[in-house]
Amino acid sequence: AQRVTQPEKLLSVFKGAPVELKCNYSYSGSPELFWYVQYSRQRLQLLLRHISRESIKGFTADLNKGETSFHLKKPFAQEEDSAMYYCALPGGFQKLVFGTGTRLLVSP
Amino acid sequence: GAGVSQSPRYKVAKRGQDVALRCDPISGHVSLFWYQQALGQGPEFLTYFQNEAQLDKSGLPSDRFFAERPEGSVSTLKIQRTQQEDSAVYLCASSSERGHTGELFFGEGSRLTVL
């Protein structure tokens, strides 16, 4: 069964420090992976998807099939990056399976 | 409106009451999803509509949960005889693409508390 594991509930860093939010997955085949983000008092929204290979707000994520990982990275964290981050993958055509989320807290 | 709209934003129900949660998707979006998010957890899939057809309801936890989208636009999630374990945020999302392939646009959610 498809599964997403986000091992850290909370990641706390200082402004300007590098950030890596971990995501490991279990999936048979070639997965399409997503990162969704929820800022304080805002709705859940798409941050990036691996097929687009884009850098959004300075974040990148590389699919590593050998390690079955899709970690989210940013070289220099900003205070406005503080949010809940969810990794997700398809659980069939009709749905996404989400991880339990990691709260990123960036302190000044 | 510009985004997905859900109502009510907050609902308190006594155990055993029926509740109805409404979702107005982005106009023209083909796909509509309902997710349930318990405290400290990620969203969990409940059901999926493509236009008015409910193509997947595998995530509905029991037969007390029922969803409809009769005209392929507004959707209602109904929970009968609510139980305490139904307390959660119910998220609606819509997409212009079929299935999960497109970006999901989420509403703000309806927070249900069952006493």
Side-chain angles (χ1 to χ4, degrees), chain A residues 36 43 49 86 93-94 96, chain B residues 4 33 37 100-101 106:
Chain A
Y36 276 79
R43 57 191 71 194
R49 51 197 304 178
Y86 296 94
F93 176 71
Q94 289 94 343
L96 289 180
Chain B
V4 177
F33 307 79
Q37 186 171 22
H100 73 269
T101 55
F106 282 86

Side-chain angles (χ1 to χ4, degrees), chain B residues 29-92:
Chain B
H29 275 195
V30 167
S31 294
L32 186 145
F33 307 79
W34 284 98
Y35 282 82
Q36 180 191 59
Q37 186 171 22
L39 190 64
Q41 301 298 314
E44 292 196 7
F45 173 80
L46 292 177
T47 187
Y48 166 70
F49 290 87
Q50 187 175 109
N51 296 309
E52 69 279 3
Q54 188 175 21
L55 299 187
D56 189 339
K57 53 182 181 179
S58 62
L60 296 177
S62 77
D63 58 8
R64 296 186 296 104
F65 287 71
F66 172 78
E68 61 183 3
R69 192 187 186 198
E71 297 177 358
S73 178
V74 171
S75 177
T76 303
L77 177 67
K78 298 179 180 178
I79 309 173
Q80 296 178 323
R81 304 182 303 281
T82 53
Q83 304 294 316
Q84 283 191 320
E85 60 262 28
D86 300 335
S87 295
V89 176
Y90 291 85
L91 297 171
C92 176

